[in-house]
Amino acid sequence: MAECTSANIFAAKDEITYTPPLSSGPLPGVTRAIMLEELDPQVEEKVLRIEDLVEADEVFITSTTRELLPVNRIQDRLIAPSDRTSWPVMERLQEALSSYIRRYTEAVRRQAA
């Protein structure tokens, strides 16, 4: 398991978030790179199998246009309980990504001024 059509996949287990390494075939997405390089030391590369996704505490995808989105099902497999309303790892990373984007755009604006 490497990527979606235009997004990258992440799986959180025991507070560590994993995404497939580029050698597995995912696109080297901008959001993926920011997640690995700028946001959190607990985001790591790891080859992900379908079993890793099904057993994960949280599964979500990332893209530049949509940022982070939760995944509830993969094919007919339930990834998270359908009544789940909280995705603590994804929400923490979304907050960190939003903060990074604000800092980055402010720096670009200052440079352009």
Side-chain angles (χ1 to χ4, degrees):
M1 184 64 55
E3 68 170 317
C4 306
T5 304
S6 62
N8 292 100
I9 194 159
F10 289 76
K13 182 72 175 170
D14 300 326
E15 298 297 317
I16 300 175
T17 304
Y18 302 101
T19 191
L22 294 179
S23 62
S24 290
L27 297 172
V30 172
T31 304
R32 177 189 180 280
I34 292 169
M35 298 274 292
L36 283 165
E37 299 166 11
E38 302 290 337
L39 293 191
D40 193 317
Q42 292 185 321
V43 177
E44 303 174 4
E45 290 181 315
K46 172 185 171 183
V47 173
L48 294 176
R49 300 167 295 128
I50 191 75
E51 294 82 11
D52 296 318
L53 300 177
V54 173
E55 294 170 5
D57 299 325
E58 299 177 37
V59 177
F60 56 93
I61 60 172
T62 64
S63 75
T64 300
T65 57
R66 297 185 137 177
E67 298 182 3
L68 282 67
L69 295 169
V71 172
N72 288 320
R73 290 183 171 273
I74 296 178
Q75 295 177 342
D76 62 347
R77 294 184 184 198
L78 186 64
I79 302 301
S82 58
D83 63 347
R84 183 175 206 159
T85 59
S86 175
W87 297 79
V89 174
M90 185 193 76
E91 290 167 1
R92 178 177 47 80
L93 290 170
Q94 177 61 62
E95 288 177 23
L97 177 63
S98 296
S99 178
Y100 173 86
I101 291 169
R102 281 192 301 277
R103 289 190 315 272
Y104 179 85
T105 54
E106 290 292 323
V108 169
R109 284 186 192 131
R110 281 194 301 273
Q111 288 178 348

